[in-house]
Amino acid sequence: MLKRMSTVLAVLCLLAGAASQARAETVAEYVQRTYPEMDEVVSSVLGSLGTMSTWEKLFVDRLATLTPESQRSYATSLAMDGRITAEDLAELPVNLTLPEDPAEIIALLTEHVRADYWPGFYRRHSFSVHRQLRHWAETAERRYDDPELCKKLIEIFFAMVEGKYDGPMEIEYRPTSRDIHRPAE
């Protein structure tokens, strides 16, 4: 009886181990499932990354927002060694879509600011917000995790409020802080 139970346990352990290995999604499967429209060259390069970790997932998610030319360039330069590191991820730019309403830029700024901000404050106190944003632009180096991005967003905010912004509605920036993009788990 004991011998039979140990045999059954051994078989169950083997099956459980095989099932857990079979469940690990590869980067190629993730790209095919999530971003089927991604460039074929990029997809094949990313396929070399093997089993997907959090860094590879973040890398693929960011890469998918870029133009096909940028995708090819970054995929070949960063994925060819077969793994993605936090430093590689920091090198990859992110496309940031700007909202049509300048007030919504404040929400983008608060994602990168170290100080708290109150939702809806803009609508109630627009003059105070304009003063506050000028102050935030002057103190960006100590206030923001990513000062250059936030200065750019503040410039765009004022240009949009004045009706003078005719630039792109999507800007590309490079995160300068390692903690800006944490995995969402």
Side-chain angles (χ1 to χ4, degrees):
M1 178 75 168
L2 188 58
K3 186 175 181 181
R4 185 171 176 217
M5 282 184 72
S6 65
T7 305
V8 169
L9 282 173
V11 169
L12 286 174
C13 287
L14 275 171
L15 289 174
S20 67
Q21 288 176 352
R23 301 285 300 148
E25 186 174 34
T26 65
V27 174
E29 292 167 344
Y30 179 72
V31 169
Q32 186 177 18
R33 179 176 55 81
T34 313
Y35 303 107
E37 71 284 353
M38 192 174 274
D39 184 78
E40 282 183 43
V41 173
V42 175
S43 296
S44 63
V45 169
L46 294 176
S48 69
L49 292 172
T51 306
M52 188 167 54
S53 73
T54 302
W55 294 120
E56 277 83 21
K57 181 182 182 312
L58 287 170
F59 179 75
V60 171
D61 290 343
R62 284 193 195 176
L63 197 64
T65 67
L66 302 177
T67 64
E69 297 78 27
S70 294
Q71 285 179 4
R72 277 185 229 110
S73 170
Y74 284 105
T76 52
S77 66
L78 296 179
M80 289 304 275
D81 69 352
R83 66 187 184 93
I84 298 296
T85 64
E87 289 74 26
D88 292 337
L89 197 63
E91 289 178 26
L92 188 64
V94 178
N95 272 353
L96 182 70
T97 303
L98 296 172
E100 295 288 333
D101 179 8
E104 293 175 16
I105 289 178
I106 295 170
L108 294 174
L109 289 168
T110 59
E111 290 179 20
H112 301 278
V113 72
R114 293 190 178 109
D116 289 331
Y117 203 76
W118 304 273
F121 189 75
Y122 175 79
R123 286 167 187 78
R124 294 189 309 270
H125 308 284
S126 60
F127 177 74
S128 297
V129 169
H130 286 251
R131 261 194 12 239
Q132 185 69 37
L133 285 182
R134 289 191 200 289
H135 174 68
W136 283 6
E138 292 166 4
T139 59
E141 298 302 322
R142 67 174 172 80
R143 185 171 298 280
Y144 295 107
D145 290 329
D146 196 341
E148 294 308 313
L149 166 69
C150 294
K151 285 179 188 176
K152 179 77 173 164
L153 287 173
I154 291 169
E155 286 173 26
I156 292 170
F157 170 84
F158 285 115
M160 287 174 82
V161 166
E162 295 165 5
K164 297 178 182 175
Y165 185 74
D166 60 354
M169 292 309 290
E170 198 167 81
I171 58 173
E172 188 175 280
Y173 78 100
R174 298 173 187 276
T176 56
S177 176
R178 295 180 94 196
D179 62 347
I180 287 175
H181 293 281
R182 294 183 201 90
E185 308 215 37

